[in-house]
Structures are given as C-alpha cells and as structure tokens.
Amino acid sequence: MPMRVAVRRINEWDAPSMLKIYAPYVENTNCTPDAAVPSLQDYIQRIDRYTYGRGWIMTEIDSATAGFCLLTERGVEKGDLFTADIQLYVAPEYQRRGVGASLYDLMLAIMHHANYRRVTAHIPLPNDAAAAFHEKMGFRPVREENGVLLMAREIEPENPGAERFTKPYLIENADYERAREHAATLVREAAR
C-alpha cells in the first residue's frame, strides 16, 4: 500500500503529537528557544498564536506526525514586517526522508504569497547536517555568534509593494493547495 503524505496547516488538536517531537529537542539539544518542555496547555496557546499569526505547518505520513515548522519573530528587528525566523523539528524516525524539505517547500511558498522578503534560521553548532540542509534550501551563512550560526534566505514577494506580510490563512486557497500538493511529493518511503 502506498504511503499517504499530507503537508498542511496545523491546529490545536495536533499539539500532543507535535509536543512528542519537540520535547526531545528541548531536553537533549540546545537548538530550541525553550529551556524546558512547555506544558500541553502552553503549547496549544502557542499554536493558536502562531497559526493565526505568522504560520505553523506539519507533515504527516500515514496519519502520523513526522515533523513541523513554524515562523517566529526570534531575532527579527522590531518593526521588520517582512522577515521571519523559521524553526524546523522532525521526528528521528522520519529524518532523511524529505520531511524537512517538504515543510520548507510549503513554508517558502506560503512566504512568497504572503509577501515576505527574508527568512532566517538559527543553527546551534556543531551541526553540519543542519547547515548543509539549509544551504540546499537556499540559505546562506550570515554570522556565527555564541555557538549559533545565523543563516538567511531572500524571498521574492508576490506583491513587492505590500505594506506588510499577509497572514497565511488569508492566502488564496488555490495557491496554498497547489503548494501543499507539491510539498507532499518530496517525502520518500523509508529505506527497506
């Protein structure tokens, strides 16, 4: 039976499965903005804030959450309405299968339609795999500071004259669906 892949916007009902992916990143790495694992209620509130703000999406494989990414204001200068910071989290069993690429593909398409100009990513070092992945996705190193590599990528906005970014849920549905379907094609079957 072929695998079923969905890359989509998230909602609060996705919080438990997403928190299961996020918790080990918080506990075992220095690559999250959280020092401790947030409670489920706090995570649900965060989902509500970012889903209807800058955006939060996930990839599911056969109805299981494989990974997710979101846009935040982390490290963005106050008043800069055209830059966002992207965070990516993929469950270990789904890494190296195109899940990260599927998430970035959809999020970058959303950012284009939402009129963003730039996206950044903070990579805790050492992490050659994450830096190489971001370079493959079009990011370039900006600077290294306190053990974190800042990378950035320029975005071509759909409307260069826009006065601010468009919230993701206001993007034309046909544009979103086309990008979502394409992103799902980037996920690969597990090696046998």
Side-chain angles (χ1 to χ4, degrees), residues 2-6 8 14 17 58-66 94:
M3 72 177 172
R4 292 170 294 137
V5 177
R8 63 172 178 81
D14 298 314
S17 66
M58 68 185 303
T59 296
E60 293 176 310
I61 299 175
D62 294 328
S63 300
T65 303
Y94 293 108

Side-chain angles (χ1 to χ4, degrees), residues 8-25 40 43-44 47 56-61 63-68 89-94:
R8 63 172 178 81
R9 296 179 185 117
I10 59 110
N11 61 57
E12 58 272 359
W13 298 107
D14 298 314
S17 66
M18 293 168 60
L19 198 52
K20 284 180 184 175
I21 293 172
Y22 186 62
Y25 279 92
L40 180 58
Y43 213 62
I44 290 170
I47 287 171
W56 202 328
I57 59 174
M58 68 185 303
T59 296
E60 293 176 310
I61 299 175
S63 300
T65 303
F68 62 92
Y89 304 100
V90 178
E93 63 270 26
Y94 293 108

Side-chain angles (χ1 to χ4, degrees), residues 3 23 31 38 40 70 80 85 92 105 134 150 169 181 187 189-190:
M3 72 177 172
C31 66
L40 180 58
L70 66 147
D80 182 348
D85 187 70
D105 188 73
H134 281 83
L150 176 66
Y169 62 90
E181 289 172 10
V187 178
E189 294 274 356

